[in-house]
Amino acid sequence: MRECQIDRCRQLILSISLVGILLTGTLVGLSSALPMFFSAREHVENSALDSLEARAAAINSLLAGYQDIARQFTSRTEIRRRLEAYEAGELEFDELVAFTRPRLKDPMSKLPELLFMRRSGPDLKPVVSLGHNPGLELEHIDTTGVSLMPLPTSTGFVIRAVGAITDDNGRRVGIDTLLFSSERLKALLTSDSGFSTQARLTLVQVSPSGTVLASLDSTGEFVRLLQQHQPYLAALTPRTLIHADDGKNRLLLTPLALDSWVLAVRLPRSDLYAKANQQLLTTSGVILAMMLLGLFLTRRALSPLVARITQQTQRLEESSAELRLSANVFEHAQEAIIVTDPGLKIQRSNRTSSEVTGYSSEQLLGIGLDQLFDQSSRQGDQIELILHTLNRDDAWQGEINYRHANGHIIPTLQTISGVRDDQGRINHLIHIFNDITDAKENERRMQRLASQDSLTGLPNRASLNRQIEQQLQQAAQQQQRCALLFIDLDNFKPVNDNFGHAVGDQLLKTVAKRLQHALREEDSVGRLGGDEFLVLTGNLQKPEEADVIAAKLIAHLLEPFHIAEHSINIGASIGIAYFPDDGCDTQTLTRMADEAMYAAKRQGRNCYVKTTSLD
């Protein structure tokens, strides 16, 4: 009877112990693994959304360039006057065609991305059509500015730009319709930079109500995945992440500057969360191993129902094994982990923290963690703010720059958690951080691509316009005078025809370097596209100083260029517009300088003409 009671007691103790260990292990595992897993998921989602925003900025910059090209075609004063004369019956249709064709053909030849152009008169009758139309029906669009629209073709799609030509009263006297090649846009939609190789990118047109109107994805996959998410699309905001109904994909969306169009990225769920899942699997495996080990040891210890001292010894051995396993997990974690006291004095660090900072564990022990921060991160106000947040919320997350042992700066994403004692006071701080140097470099690289001309390295049209607008505002505030020089290379087209585009591209790079070398430190230069450049001078004490700059630039460009064993001679025609005499904004000054440049072309080229010399 007693033996039976002992047996029941042994089984009860064993069962209670095993259940208790199982529950404890499960709770500990969940409390450790789930926050780490969700933090890792949030990190990869934010990285993907950052890449999405960078890609959207590059696409917006490309489309803005197309819009600027269309706007430049429609803003020519001479064209507008001929269209007004034709509408008034003062100019015959054949004369209008003869005047218009060469003035469109020449600039179009300098724009390899421009596939087709059609100019229509005030009666919407086509005046001139140039280039190749890939079989599109080009209906007339009622617009007062410039509008862009991707259009599908039998071989892909093109970018259509429609711009209205208006008189001084804003009345439309003509329409330009331009078709641009989609190759550069396709490159931005197929590059896997910032995403995995399984990612797919496309542009989707969405109505204000959230209905998917069109997609550049010929497979129809994006339309199928998005059609069930109309509420999200109706109130779409930047950096939107949607869980597709098929459960296998994640959709990343952000609006573009192009009206009603959205950049959409489809990422397989398993691909997006691969690292987070691997981290969860590893952590879960370790926790499961700890639980099984604990169950096994407890059963071995309690089964014989040995003396109490034996049970206590076994429990101590079990606890010691768990501590060793926890220490092993701490030491081999992929994140840098440092434990400090509330005053940031380092008490313990793992192997990864030494790899990130360049200091050994012995060098880190006992020093203040803030001594490793970069100077910009060691300011007392920031540390005081972090400690204040920890006292209030028990956690803080943000970016901190560390200075490596060899001197270079390491940007990190850091999470700091507070551990409190029985009195509720923080007695330890847990610092977990990762090196995000690669992510920062990718972000900076995408920003450079969005603002620089890919061939010459000079500011591109969009970046240059912003830069000029800022300098004009500063000049206006300081009541300074400056000049805008519109430069168009002479005899550049024969270089491409005779020696090939590779030599032409190298020539443009060399021209950019000569322009930079010839200008003063306070002057700035950028490339509009093709063989056209803009120069904004610094403060001018008198207008004649712009003449000196223009003459110097022409002299530098008249010197022979030695490229690929060829001696090449070109020149430049320059138009000069003055701020604030000729205009107070970038668009007006550019237009005036452009007109003066064409006057220089008519005067024989290799010269400059000021707006004051125009009729």
Side-chain angles (χ1 to χ4, degrees):
M1 182 69 178
R2 181 176 178 83
E3 182 177 350
C4 188
Q5 291 177 343
I6 293 175
D7 184 69
R8 286 197 300 268
C9 183
R10 182 174 65 248
Q11 294 296 331
L12 180 61
I13 293 174
L14 182 61
S15 299
I16 293 174
S17 300
L18 294 180
V19 170
I21 291 176
L22 183 61
L23 291 176
T24 301
T26 302
L27 292 175
V28 171
L30 291 175
S31 63
S32 301
L34 289 181
M36 186 180 299
F37 172 69
F38 287 118
S39 176
R41 280 172 59 107
E42 183 180 0
H43 175 68
V44 298
E45 287 175 353
N46 285 333
S47 297
L49 290 170
D50 289 341
S51 298
L52 173 72
E53 286 298 302
R55 191 66 56 87
I59 292 175
N60 283 333
S61 178
L62 174 63
L63 296 177
Y66 290 157
Q67 202 166 30
D68 286 343
I69 291 173
R71 189 175 290 112
Q72 185 176 1
F73 272 107
T74 61
S75 63
R76 301 292 174 86
T77 301
E78 295 181 38
I79 295 297
R80 173 174 54 81
R81 290 173 179 170
R82 292 304 191 283
L83 289 171
E84 289 175 349
Y86 169 69
E87 183 181 30
E90 300 170 2
L91 185 69
E92 294 296 329
F93 180 80
D94 291 341
E95 294 176 327
L96 178 61
V97 172
F99 175 85
T100 304
R101 182 178 295 277
R103 284 161 178 78
L104 295 183
K105 187 175 182 180
D106 182 57
M108 184 175 177
S109 66
K110 301 172 185 177
L111 298 170
E113 294 178 83
L114 183 54
L115 303 176
F116 174 80
M117 178 177 181
R118 183 182 72 189
R119 169 159 291 162
S120 301
D123 53 359
L124 301 184
K125 177 181 179 181
V127 177
V128 173
S129 296
L130 298 174
H132 171 66
N133 180 358
L136 292 179
E137 290 293 337
L138 301 177
E139 73 280 4
H140 291 288
I141 305 299
D142 188 12
T143 180
T144 57
V146 176
S147 63
L148 293 180
M149 176 69 71
L151 294 177
T153 67
S154 59
T155 59
F157 64 93
V158 296
I159 309 298
R160 182 190 68 190
V162 178
I165 306 173
T166 58
D167 61 15
D168 294 335
N169 297 320
R171 186 174 57 85
R172 189 177 65 199
V173 295
I175 291 180
D176 280 349
T177 303
L178 296 81
L179 298 182
F180 292 93
S181 168
S182 60
E183 293 306 315
R184 290 181 64 189
L185 183 56
K186 285 180 180 178
L188 290 174
L189 294 176
T190 55
S191 172
D192 61 358
S193 176
F195 300 105
S196 68
T197 56
Q198 300 299 318
R200 290 194 60 191
L201 292 81
T202 192
L203 299 187
V204 177
Q205 187 181 22
V206 179
S207 70
S209 63
T211 303
V212 179
L213 301 177
S215 171
L216 299 186
D217 174 41
S218 59
T219 65
E221 177 186 16
F222 280 86
V223 175
R224 177 179 59 80
L225 292 174
L226 289 171
Q227 63 185 358
Q228 302 299 325
H229 300 283
Q230 186 172 352
Y232 286 101
L233 300 178
L236 185 65
T237 58
R239 301 173 63 88
T240 295
L241 186 147
I242 297 177
H243 295 223
D245 290 342
D246 60 7
K248 299 179 181 179
N249 293 286
R250 296 292 182 265
L251 300 172
L252 282 63
L253 306 171
T254 193
L256 294 174
L258 185 60
D259 186 33
S260 77
W261 285 85
V262 174
L263 174 62
V265 179
R266 192 267 300 159
L267 283 171
R269 179 181 181 277
S270 58
D271 198 34
L272 177 61
Y273 299 124
K275 291 184 179 180
N277 292 337
Q278 181 62 39
Q279 184 176 353
L280 178 62
L281 182 62
T282 302
T283 305
S284 300
V286 173
I287 293 173
L288 179 60
M290 292 174 61
M291 292 172 58
L292 294 176
L293 180 62
L295 292 172
F296 175 76
L297 293 178
T298 301
R299 184 178 181 84
R300 289 287 302 272
L302 295 179
S303 292
L305 197 57
V306 295
R308 188 172 218 162
I309 186 66
T310 304
Q311 296 176 10
Q312 292 176 345
T313 302
Q314 186 64 39
R315 290 171 183 170
L316 288 174
E317 291 177 356
E318 180 182 338
S319 298
S320 176
E322 292 179 352
L323 288 174
R324 287 196 299 272
L325 189 56
S326 299
N328 187 54
V329 173
F330 172 86
E331 187 61 30
H332 294 89
Q334 296 301 311
E335 294 81 14
I337 304 176
I338 292 179
V339 181
T340 70
D341 63 14
L344 299 182
K345 184 177 181 181
I346 298 177
Q347 298 179 336
R348 189 177 179 187
S349 62
N350 68 349
R351 175 178 52 82
T352 305
S353 63
S354 297
E355 294 174 355
V356 172
T357 64
Y359 296 95
S360 66
S361 298
E362 292 76 15
Q363 291 174 312
L364 293 174
L365 185 63
I367 69 172
L369 181 62
D370 57 330
Q371 296 180 23
L372 303 180
F373 295 167
D374 181 48
Q375 287 296 328
S376 60
S377 299
R378 291 179 59 187
Q379 299 176 9
D381 291 344
Q382 183 181 7
I383 297 175
E384 183 177 347
L385 178 61
I386 293 174
L387 296 177
H388 175 74
T389 304
L390 287 170
N391 282 321
R392 184 188 63 199
D393 302 329
D394 286 339
W396 177 88
Q397 185 179 57
E399 291 186 11
I400 293 182
N401 292 335
Y402 284 78
R403 183 170 292 278
H404 193 271
N406 63 15
H408 71 269
I409 304 302
I410 311 166
T412 69
L413 180 62
Q414 181 155 336
T415 300
I416 307 176
S417 302
V419 180
R420 297 183 181 273
D421 58 17
D422 295 337
Q423 286 73 40
R425 296 172 299 188
I426 293 180
N427 55 8
H428 291 91
L429 295 175
I430 311 298
H431 307 259
I432 304 176
F433 53 94
N434 292 289
D435 185 349
I436 57 173
T437 301
D438 292 342
K440 288 288 188 181
E441 181 58 32
N442 285 336
E443 180 181 350
R444 286 191 291 268
R445 185 172 64 84
M446 293 303 293
Q447 290 175 348
R448 287 195 301 270
L449 290 175
S451 62
Q452 286 184 352
D453 177 60
S454 59
L455 178 63
T456 64
L458 295 176
N460 60 20
R461 177 185 292 271
S463 176
L464 182 62
N465 284 341
R466 291 193 298 270
Q467 182 178 339
I468 292 176
E469 201 64 44
Q470 292 173 358
Q471 290 181 246
L472 292 181
Q473 291 177 1
Q474 182 178 356
Q477 293 172 356
Q478 298 177 0
Q479 296 184 347
Q480 295 178 345
R481 295 172 57 88
C482 55
L484 186 69
L485 280 63
F486 194 113
I487 304 172
D488 187 276
L489 301 183
D490 294 329
N491 301 318
F492 177 77
K493 186 176 183 300
V495 175
N496 282 332
D497 295 340
N498 297 330
F499 307 116
H501 288 282
V503 173
D505 289 346
Q506 189 61 41
L507 176 60
L508 288 175
K509 293 180 183 179
T510 308
V511 167
K513 292 180 180 178
R514 285 197 184 180
L515 292 176
Q516 290 176 307
H517 179 72
L519 292 173
R520 304 172 303 176
E521 183 177 352
E522 63 268 26
D523 302 331
S524 57
V525 61
R527 183 186 178 207
L528 291 177
D531 58 351
E532 294 180 338
F533 299 83
L534 273 185
V535 171
L536 180 66
T537 71
N539 182 35
L540 300 178
Q541 298 298 328
K542 51 186 179 179
E544 289 75 13
E545 294 180 16
D547 298 11
V548 177
I549 296 173
K552 184 177 181 182
L553 294 177
I554 292 174
H556 275 67
L557 296 179
L558 283 174
E559 295 178 6
F561 291 81
H562 300 284
I563 298 175
E565 301 180 355
H566 302 292
S567 181
I568 299 172
N569 292 291
I570 62 171
S573 297
I574 301 179
I576 306 175
Y578 294 93
F579 171 89
D581 303 317
D582 296 323
C584 297
D585 60 86
T586 306
Q587 182 177 356
T588 303
L589 287 174
T590 302
R591 177 172 56 80
M592 296 294 292
D594 183 38
E595 292 180 4
M597 181 274 294
Y598 273 104
K601 292 278 189 185
R602 292 192 295 270
Q603 290 184 14
R605 306 190 177 191
N606 290 329
C607 63
Y608 62 89
V609 171
K610 300 180 287 187
T611 54
T612 54
S613 301
L614 297 176
D615 294 335

